[in-house]
Amino acid sequence: MPRAGTNQFNQVPEQEWFEAAAAENIEWVRITFSKWNSKQKDFLAGDLDNYQQLVKKDLATLKKAIGWAEEQGLKVVIAPLGLPGSRWTQNNQGKKDQRLWNDKKWWQASARYWQDLARALKDSKAVVAYNIINEPKPEFGTGLAEHGDPARYKGWYEKYQGTSHDLPEFYNTVISAIRAVDAETPVMVDAGWYGQAQAFVYWPKLKDAKVLYSFHMYEPFNFTSRQNYLRKRKGKELYSYPGLIPYAGKVEQWDKKRLTEWFTPFNEWAEKNSIPANRIVAAEFGAYRRVPGGGRYMEDLLELFDQKQYHWAFYSFREDEWDGYDYEIGNRALGWKYWEAKEKGEDPEPPRDESNPLWQVLDQALETRTRT
């Protein structure tokens, strides 16, 4: 059955968050723990530059959060943002860390890390998948454009197949290590170029029988990102959806028809490789909450996902670090009192109003999914 979920990218895991998620008919949660505090350099891994073993205290914290989810009937997908040789950019002083894609020695370290993590979590009733790495980018720095004709991947893969940039083979390596200790839990694999659905088109079907193929959807990024909203400060008109929006070097009309066209190469790849809908996950999608047409954009995406019967998880639910994708707030400004409290070191709750059009789109979709 297609399942409706959300992303938990919070700095601090709290029991109340899981209670609130369950109350909103959310069925599963993609938990990333890379922002959580640790006495070590990197939460759970200790040091992604020199992985040795899981940090026991951090593992206990993770298991506690999984327990909170289980108490609320929520299923969990574990999704680290970084692996040995690939520290998340925001945890790396804004610098992209490409070691994992430049030297296969990091593949082995990542395989050991995941084997240890699978061994520790395999008996959890709440954990339904291991999402091996968030938004990999082995294409970065190789001359392959991030956006463009999907056919460009064919020549690229012919050149890089078998090298440290070979993402499908990397996944086969890690999955093999996981299966040595856990034969049952499904694995979730993100496509390249930050999880783009179109970046699957060159892939062979992976060897393992329990793979979920995952993509993230924020295209066209010129519309969905906060950078769009910041155009107001420069006196420029915001990009609206539906409307004319720059993408891959040209301005195009983006609407439901264009979204459908954008997904066509991916859907054709899935059909060609006999990958059923229940193995496909829209693991992240959304838009900065103050861009014009954000609700319509998400409504069109949700209709497309439901037509295909894909699992999905919106980004995000009540993130404690940033309000930009907290749809319960709607498109309103938070106001000076909220920011004044923040400056004083307080932790104020943002003024949420679930009657706003943005949240209503998601609320209706969550209710529809759970009823079926």
Side-chain angles (χ1 to χ4, degrees), residues 95-370:
K95 299 176 182 177
K96 291 180 173 61
D97 184 0
Q98 289 296 105
R99 292 171 295 166
L100 182 62
W101 312 119
N102 291 327
D103 190 335
K104 283 189 176 182
K105 75 176 185 180
W106 296 105
W107 289 22
Q108 300 307 316
S110 295
R112 286 192 296 106
Y113 172 62
W114 257 114
Q115 187 175 82
D116 290 347
L117 188 51
R119 185 185 290 112
L121 299 180
K122 65 180 181 178
D123 295 325
S124 170
K125 295 178 181 179
V127 175
V128 293
Y130 304 137
N131 193 172
I132 293 176
I133 186 172
N134 178 71
E135 297 188 350
K137 49 187 184 305
E139 305 89 350
F140 181 81
T142 64
L144 183 74
E146 184 175 348
H147 301 105
D149 186 346
R152 72 194 188 281
Y153 283 105
K154 183 177 183 294
W156 181 84
Y157 193 55
E158 288 175 352
K159 180 178 180 181
Y160 287 99
Q161 186 176 8
T163 73
S164 56
H165 297 273
D166 189 336
L167 184 57
E169 193 53 36
F170 165 75
Y171 282 137
N172 283 330
T173 299
V174 175
I175 293 169
S176 178
I178 290 173
R179 291 297 176 235
V181 297
D182 181 351
E184 298 300 324
T185 307
V187 292
M188 187 180 293
V189 295
D190 287 11
W193 265 137
Y194 300 100
Q196 283 191 48
Q198 290 188 352
F200 274 120
V201 297
Y202 69 90
W203 279 38
K205 190 173 183 179
L206 296 189
K207 300 172 185 176
D208 192 79
K210 297 180 179 179
V211 174
L212 296 161
Y213 295 87
S214 162
F215 63 82
H216 297 182
M217 182 57 181
Y218 298 101
E219 304 299 349
F221 193 70
N222 280 307
F223 163 70
T224 63
S225 68
R226 183 171 180 263
Q227 282 73 14
N228 181 15
Y229 186 75
L230 294 179
R231 288 168 61 84
K232 289 182 69 172
R233 295 184 181 178
K234 301 176 182 178
K236 297 180 180 180
E237 186 177 352
L238 302 187
Y239 299 121
S240 301
Y241 179 92
L244 294 170
I245 304 168
Y247 176 78
K250 58 183 179 181
V251 176
E252 302 176 327
Q253 174 69 21
W254 279 82
D255 48 27
K256 189 176 180 181
K257 178 176 180 291
R258 179 67 181 97
L259 289 175
T260 303
E261 292 171 350
W262 192 89
F263 277 107
T264 296
F266 166 72
N267 290 326
E268 290 177 345
W269 169 81
E271 184 176 355
K272 177 182 176 182
N273 286 279
S274 301
I275 298 170
N278 66 359
R279 299 299 180 92
I280 296 175
V281 187
E284 281 190 35
F285 67 95
Y288 182 68
R289 65 180 181 80
R290 305 196 70 185
V291 296
R296 174 75 178 275
Y297 171 78
M298 289 192 291
E299 184 176 21
D300 284 351
L301 281 180
L302 285 163
E303 287 182 4
L304 292 175
F305 299 157
D306 284 345
Q307 286 169 10
K308 291 293 184 179
Q309 294 289 283
Y310 293 161
H311 309 289
W312 52 257
F314 66 91
Y315 179 87
S316 62
F317 182 70
R318 300 192 181 183
E319 187 174 342
D320 59 8
E321 183 180 20
W322 189 42
D323 67 277
Y325 289 74
D326 190 336
Y327 304 112
E328 291 171 289
I329 302 172
N331 63 2
R332 69 171 72 181
L334 289 176
W336 66 270
K337 287 186 177 180
Y338 175 87
W339 295 113
E340 184 179 55
K342 279 281 192 182
E343 289 175 3
K344 292 178 179 178
E346 299 173 8
D347 188 24
E349 277 288 313
R352 296 188 173 96
D353 175 12
E354 294 189 353
S355 66
N356 76 76
L358 262 176
W359 178 252
Q360 287 299 307
V361 169
L362 288 166
D363 187 45
Q364 183 176 352
L366 288 166
E367 285 189 12
T368 300
R369 274 289 175 96
T370 52

Side-chain angles (χ1 to χ4, degrees), residues 57-109:
K57 188 173 182 180
D58 293 348
L59 179 60
T61 300
L62 176 59
K63 286 185 174 182
K64 188 175 184 180
I66 294 170
W68 289 333
E70 186 173 353
E71 288 172 4
Q72 298 301 319
L74 295 167
K75 299 302 182 182
V76 170
V77 172
I78 301 297
L81 299 180
L83 292 179
S86 181
R87 186 173 279 110
W88 189 44
T89 302
Q90 285 88 327
N91 286 355
N92 196 43
Q93 299 178 322
K95 299 176 182 177
K96 291 180 173 61
D97 184 0
Q98 289 296 105
R99 292 171 295 166
L100 182 62
W101 312 119
N102 291 327
D103 190 335
K104 283 189 176 182
K105 75 176 185 180
W106 296 105
W107 289 22
Q108 300 307 316

Side-chain angles (χ1 to χ4, degrees), residues 10-28:
N10 288 17
Q11 289 181 306
V12 180
E14 293 182 336
Q15 184 174 5
E16 292 77 11
W17 187 97
F18 295 94
E19 293 171 351
E24 298 297 344
N25 297 306
I26 289 166
E27 296 177 294
W28 67 280

Side-chain angles (χ1 to χ4, degrees), residues 27-55:
E27 296 177 294
W28 67 280
V29 179
R30 184 169 173 266
I31 293 181
T32 181
F33 47 76
S34 300
K35 293 181 180 181
W36 297 0
N37 287 329
S38 174
K39 291 184 177 180
Q40 306 299 318
K41 187 174 184 179
D42 297 291
F43 185 91
L44 193 61
D47 186 351
L48 291 172
D49 300 328
N50 183 27
Y51 175 70
Q52 298 297 318
Q53 61 183 3
L54 301 180
V55 179

